[in-house]
Amino acid sequence: MKITIQLLTIILLFTVVLASCDNNNNAPAPQNLEVQDFIWEGLNLFYLWKENVPNLSNSKDDTKSGYINFLSATNPSNFFESLIYDRQYTDKWSWVVDDYIALENSFQGISKNNGVEYGLYYETNSTTDIFGYVRYILPNSDASTKNVARGFIFDAINGTQLTASNYRTLLSNESYTMNFADYNNGNPIANETSVALTKFEYQENPVYIAKTLDVGGIKIGYLMYNSFTSVFDSELNSAFAQLKAEGATELVLDLRYNSGGSVKTATYLAGMITGQFNGQLFTKEKWNNDLQEWFDVNNPDWLVNNFTNEINYSSSNGSSVTKEAIHSLNLTKLHVITTNSSASASELVINGLNPYIDVVTVGEKTTGKYVASITVYDSEDFGRQNTNPNHTWAMQPIVLEEVNKIGENDKDGFEPTLFLEEDLMNLGELGNLNEPLLASAISNITNVGKPSLTISKTQNLKRASDSKGLTRFGYTMHVEKKLPVGLIIRN
């Protein structure tokens, strides 16, 4: 927040309030006053559900002593939570952080990671005990050098059974021993094997597998893509150059574990899949009523994300832009592998392409994350430059809904065209022709055999979370465009 007349007025008013309290030791302390004021101002301007939160009303006056008490009644995290609309059912995704460097790192795929990506289930007929299964291992990580692989079952950390009340704490430790077990129909039995794992700072390249399969003379590209991380846009484009050079005329896009990321990258990916719709509308943004009115009058073009045939890279200070031509497959049909962990930007690609090409989804219903956020800093224009030097708090509030060319979205997630759950007893090797979900997609492409629609033995298990869900930044769809000049006026 700017340290000017406004803040000085707030502090002086708060001093008057304290002086009028007859030295009451229970009077609210002025700690974090700047942070709370920044949180209120940012949410008052940007928050998508602002109209549903009375305490974000434009009529709230920051020159009144009541506002001072309102700001200082609690700490920044609790203050932020008090302004979130219907946390359990509607806004499950906004957050505030006290260290925006960690937030920025997460958007570049950087985190403390031991290399094990996993899913978590409740044990059969239990509401407390939890077990996990290994989904994949990150290359060049600690786990990549250890005896742990896709399909391994674990039910304890450091010898302690995972439960609903402790799994977050146990799995958040930087070093731990993962204790393995046999599946036993969802009631795992310890098998006396384990592995010691340590987390290091790691940057994940989301392009996990890219190859072309020749199935009966049909060249089928397969791309397993695990996060929409914009710093790896060039690597994503290179993967499509490879598939194109290999003659791929079909594509299976594997987003089964992709929980989202950059809207910009999702737009580039849509252009790589197609290519024939350059300049046409991919998605359009819907903001809160006040901002929507401003955009419609002053800058309506800012609300649209169009298909493009080039990637734009800005310099660190935004003074220059370099361009890279997109390698497009010009497809008219796409197969996408999805699970309940496929979210936000993954769903955006499906939704944005639906009006243009035939999108066949294989697997499970997606998460239902249909809204996007921006990073809000405490600065004159809420941007990254010239942030308040007194603190490192920032917000990632939900600010907009993304809709496709015909104004549609699916707030409950996308039902699969071909339903098939992953079976913990038969996960298969990712990228292998016989991996059940990929085999089902290939069968649908080639019309040879029948897509495997067998009922998974894990169908009745209740999901608890996954490795990305245990991080605050795991499930996100964020907008990286610089806000237009004239939008923000901080009092």
Side-chain angles (χ1 to χ4, degrees):
M1 176 177 178
K2 52 187 179 182
I3 313 301
T4 57
I5 294 175
Q6 181 190 20
L7 184 57
L8 292 174
T9 301
I10 290 174
I11 294 173
L12 287 171
L13 279 170
F14 190 75
T15 303
V16 172
V17 172
L18 287 180
S20 67
C21 291
D22 295 326
N23 296 319
N24 183 350
N25 291 331
N26 294 322
Q31 297 174 349
N32 296 313
L33 201 59
E34 290 181 85
V35 179
Q36 266 95 313
D37 186 56
F38 148 66
I39 289 172
W40 187 86
E41 285 194 36
L43 292 179
N44 167 259
L45 177 62
F46 293 112
Y47 192 46
L48 180 61
W49 294 285
K50 165 186 171 180
E51 290 80 9
N52 301 94
V53 182
N55 276 334
L56 288 176
S57 169
N58 291 339
S59 63
K60 189 169 282 294
D61 187 348
D62 62 358
T63 65
K64 294 180 179 178
S65 61
Y67 178 62
I68 310 304
N69 288 329
F70 168 66
L71 292 182
S72 57
T74 185
N75 61 56
S77 295
N78 289 340
F79 181 72
F80 178 85
E81 282 299 316
S82 73
L83 300 174
I84 296 303
Y85 174 63
D86 191 20
R87 174 60 95 183
Q88 184 175 0
Y89 298 107
T90 304
D91 184 5
K92 297 175 281 188
W93 306 290
S94 294
W95 69 75
V96 65
V97 295
D98 61 4
D99 177 10
Y100 55 68
I101 301 300
L103 174 64
E104 293 166 348
N105 283 343
S106 73
F107 291 151
Q108 298 180 61
I110 300 171
S111 66
K112 284 289 189 72
N113 203 315
N114 58 32
V116 178
E117 295 296 324
Y118 52 81
L120 298 169
Y121 282 104
Y122 283 90
E123 294 188 7
T124 302
N125 300 321
S126 177
T127 59
T128 56
D129 289 352
I130 284 173
F131 74 94
Y133 73 99
V134 177
R135 289 175 163 177
Y136 62 98
I137 301 298
L138 294 170
N140 303 314
S141 65
D142 183 49
S144 69
T145 67
K146 306 288 181 65
N147 184 28
V148 54
R150 174 171 167 80
F152 279 33
I153 303 293
F154 62 96
D155 67 345
I157 297 294
N158 297 330
T160 300
Q161 169 69 47
L162 292 168
T163 67
S165 61
N166 71 15
Y167 75 90
R168 290 181 179 275
T169 300
L170 291 174
L171 289 165
S172 67
N173 291 328
E174 291 200 5
S175 296
Y176 56 71
T177 296
M178 181 175 282
N179 304 112
F180 298 122
D182 297 324
Y183 178 60
N184 190 38
N185 295 317
N187 286 294
I189 299 174
N191 59 22
E192 307 304 323
T193 61
S194 62
V195 63
L197 298 166
T198 301
K199 296 177 182 177
F200 299 101
E201 187 171 275
Y202 182 90
Q203 186 170 32
E204 179 183 358
N205 180 349
V207 181
Y208 191 70
I209 301 173
K211 64 180 181 180
T212 300
L213 306 168
D214 191 327
V215 184
I218 301 175
K219 295 292 185 68
I220 302 173
Y222 173 76
L223 175 66
M224 186 169 194
Y225 185 58
N226 291 331
S227 178
F228 290 79
T229 310
S230 59
V231 294
F232 287 97
D233 287 345
S234 184
E235 285 78 1
L236 178 61
N237 198 31
S238 293
F240 273 84
Q242 172 193 326
L243 298 178
K244 188 172 183 178
E246 292 169 348
T249 57
E250 303 278 351
L251 177 64
V252 178
L253 177 63
D254 194 340
L255 301 177
R256 75 181 78 190
Y257 306 136
N258 190 320
S259 59
S262 168
V263 171
K264 178 176 66 175
T265 297
T267 306
Y268 291 151
L269 175 58
M272 296 171 195
I273 293 165
T274 57
Q276 64 270 43
F277 307 113
N278 185 45
Q280 297 187 48
L281 178 64
F282 177 56
T283 63
K284 186 173 183 179
E285 301 166 2
K286 297 171 65 176
W287 294 62
N288 68 43
N289 291 339
D290 290 345
L291 287 181
Q292 191 70 34
E293 181 179 353
W294 188 93
F295 278 117
D296 288 341
V297 172
N298 297 284
N299 203 332
D301 290 342
W302 198 90
L303 296 173
V304 301
N305 299 297
N306 291 331
F307 287 92
T308 180
N309 58 10
E310 61 186 15
I311 298 172
N312 293 327
Y313 302 102
S314 298
S315 59
S316 58
N317 61 7
S319 62
S320 62
V321 175
T322 57
K323 301 179 184 295
E324 177 183 335
I326 280 178
H327 300 283
S328 300
L329 295 182
N330 295 98
L331 300 178
T332 58
K333 188 172 186 176
L334 171 70
H335 285 71
V336 185
I337 294 176
T338 62
T339 67
N340 187 252
S341 294
S342 307
S344 58
S346 290
E347 296 169 299
L348 182 69
V349 170
I350 295 169
N351 192 46
L353 287 175
N354 267 334
Y356 292 95
I357 66 174
D358 185 9
V359 180
V360 178
T361 52
V362 181
E364 304 168 60
K365 184 178 180 179
T366 62
T367 299
K369 170 76 160 54
Y370 62 99
V371 286
S373 63
I374 60 172
T375 306
V376 181
Y377 299 90
D378 190 359
S379 68
E380 291 285 342
D381 61 358
F382 294 110
R384 181 63 170 87
Q385 299 298 314
N386 301 314
T387 56
N388 185 345
N390 296 332
H391 68 84
T392 56
W393 286 82
M395 295 186 290
Q396 199 71 30
I398 296 298
V399 299
L400 61 91
E401 176 186 353
E402 294 277 4
V403 297
N404 66 14
K405 175 184 178 181
I406 54 180
E408 291 183 344
N409 207 334
D410 197 326
K411 298 180 180 182
D412 297 320
F414 292 90
E415 294 284 354
T417 311
L418 302 172
F419 175 77
L420 179 62
E421 279 193 313
E422 285 197 310
D423 187 342
L424 299 192
M425 297 301 293
N426 183 32
L427 283 175
E429 179 188 350
L430 293 169
N432 186 286
L433 286 169
N434 296 316
E435 186 275 311
L437 272 67
L438 176 56
S440 181
I442 291 174
S443 176
N444 193 64
I445 291 170
T446 61
N447 292 315
V448 176
K450 293 183 179 180
S452 176
L453 303 179
T454 57
I455 297 176
S456 165
K457 296 178 182 178
T458 59
Q459 186 176 36
N460 294 322
L461 292 175
K462 179 183 176 183
R463 283 186 174 85
S465 187
D466 57 40
S467 47
K468 292 181 179 178
L470 293 189
T471 67
R472 178 173 286 184
F473 319 125
Y475 280 69
T476 182
M477 177 162 62
H478 55 272
V479 176
E480 297 176 297
K481 295 183 291 186
K482 184 176 177 59
L483 292 169
V485 175
L487 172 65
I488 299 166
I489 301 175
R490 293 190 71 177
N491 296 321

